[in-house]
Amino acid sequence: ACDATTLSSRACTGKNTDQKNSLQKKTKIAAGAFDALIEHILSTPMEAMDYEGVRCAPLLTKAFSAHIDLRAREAASRGTEEGDETVAELTLLAAWVTEQRERQEERDDAERRRRLQSKQSSEGVNASEPVVNTDSPETVTSDEKVSYPTPLRTAGDKFAVLMAAASRGVDALRDEIVDMAKKKEVDDALMAILTGNAANAEAEGDEGRAKFLYKVAEVCLREKKNANAGSDRSSDAA
């Protein structure tokens, strides 16, 4: 399975240390600069992989995947140990890119559904009546102003949001967790990412990060329980 921990192993082993701050630095990569994009992703720290998957989504095209395959074939033809290591890295990268494209498609689908619901609401369409979505993907642009809620977030999206909140301080992180719990976004998938990354950090000897992620998971469960209890009390009062 391709995961952020495995894919970002280059950053974790100390190579390309000048790019370890890519979570804070928004590296600009021109469309079509495939080799630069490959190097950027492979040098991205583990905690930034989900964030970069969202930020670089427009660049993760089928043409980029074809370029990764080309570079993998070139590396394999060398017949060296270094070439084999490069093939392994690029194979993981190709799987990760495919996964990120699928996630982006899910976000785009959610966006189109929200857009349709907003359109129905503004036109007074009865929600019980079947409606055919005639919007094509080309009609939804990234800079179009709409008034619908934020599309449903994947577990990876939520993990990236939590890590970004953590960079702003403990209070910001707790507020984000409480908000997610109230929205019922603390689910098994998010807990799997948190505890999985914690276990990986522990295996790599990074006790500080492991302890932090386990604590975040613990707070998530506690706030989820508090949010559910508050919901139950409201139902009883009604």
Side-chain angles (χ1 to χ4, degrees):
C2 175
D3 57 26
T5 304
T6 306
L7 187 58
S8 62
S9 60
R10 181 190 298 186
C12 294
T13 55
K15 299 179 183 178
N16 299 298
T17 54
D18 59 318
Q19 294 193 33
K20 281 193 175 183
N21 293 324
S22 60
L23 180 60
Q24 288 78 28
K25 296 181 180 179
K26 293 186 177 180
T27 305
K28 293 183 178 179
I29 300 176
F34 294 146
D35 287 331
L37 183 56
I38 288 174
E39 183 63 25
H40 172 67
I41 296 174
L42 291 179
S43 301
T44 296
M46 176 182 66
E47 63 269 22
M49 290 302 294
D50 288 317
Y51 169 78
E52 287 301 314
V54 175
R55 189 174 73 85
C56 296
L59 303 177
L60 306 181
T61 61
K62 291 183 179 180
F64 178 51
S65 293
H67 186 80
I68 294 173
D69 291 339
L70 173 63
R71 288 289 182 251
R73 288 196 298 271
E74 290 174 350
S77 68
R78 298 174 198 159
T80 63
E81 183 177 348
E82 182 180 0
D84 292 342
E85 290 178 356
T86 299
V87 170
E89 280 189 327
L90 293 176
T91 300
L92 287 171
L93 176 60
W96 180 84
V97 168
T98 298
E99 178 184 350
Q100 295 306 312
R101 263 208 310 269
E102 291 173 351
R103 289 185 177 184
Q104 186 59 43
E105 288 173 0
E106 291 175 359
R107 288 191 288 270
D108 289 343
D109 287 342
E111 183 177 345
R112 283 191 288 272
R113 288 194 297 272
R114 302 289 186 186
R115 184 174 182 273
L116 178 60
Q117 290 171 2
S118 178
K119 182 178 179 181
Q120 293 173 5
S121 178
S122 63
E123 294 178 353
V125 177
N126 189 330
S128 64
E129 296 177 359
V131 178
V132 178
N133 183 3
T134 57
D135 290 334
S136 64
E138 289 75 14
T139 64
V140 180
T141 59
S142 59
D143 58 351
E144 186 174 357
K145 295 182 179 180
V146 289
S147 59
Y148 49 82
T150 303
L152 296 176
R153 297 186 291 194
T154 65
D157 294 337
K158 290 181 283 189
F159 178 78
V161 168
L162 289 178
M163 293 305 100
S167 69
R168 299 194 300 273
V170 176
D171 290 340
L173 176 58
R174 185 180 183 284
D175 289 344
E176 191 62 54
I177 292 175
V178 170
D179 185 58
M180 283 188 181
K182 289 179 178 178
K183 294 179 179 177
K184 300 188 182 301
E185 291 185 318
V186 178
D187 52 21
D188 292 342
L190 175 59
M191 296 305 299
I193 287 183
L194 286 169
T195 56
N197 277 281
N200 288 330
E202 200 169 32
E204 292 167 3
D206 192 345
E207 295 296 334
R209 177 171 174 75
K211 184 177 180 181
F212 166 71
L213 289 173
Y214 279 130
K215 184 63 177 178
V216 172
E218 177 186 331
V219 175
C220 282
L221 287 176
R222 186 181 68 220
E223 294 303 331
K224 178 182 180 180
K225 181 179 180 180
N226 291 341
N228 289 339
S231 177
D232 291 341
R233 285 194 295 271
S234 298
S235 298
D236 292 340

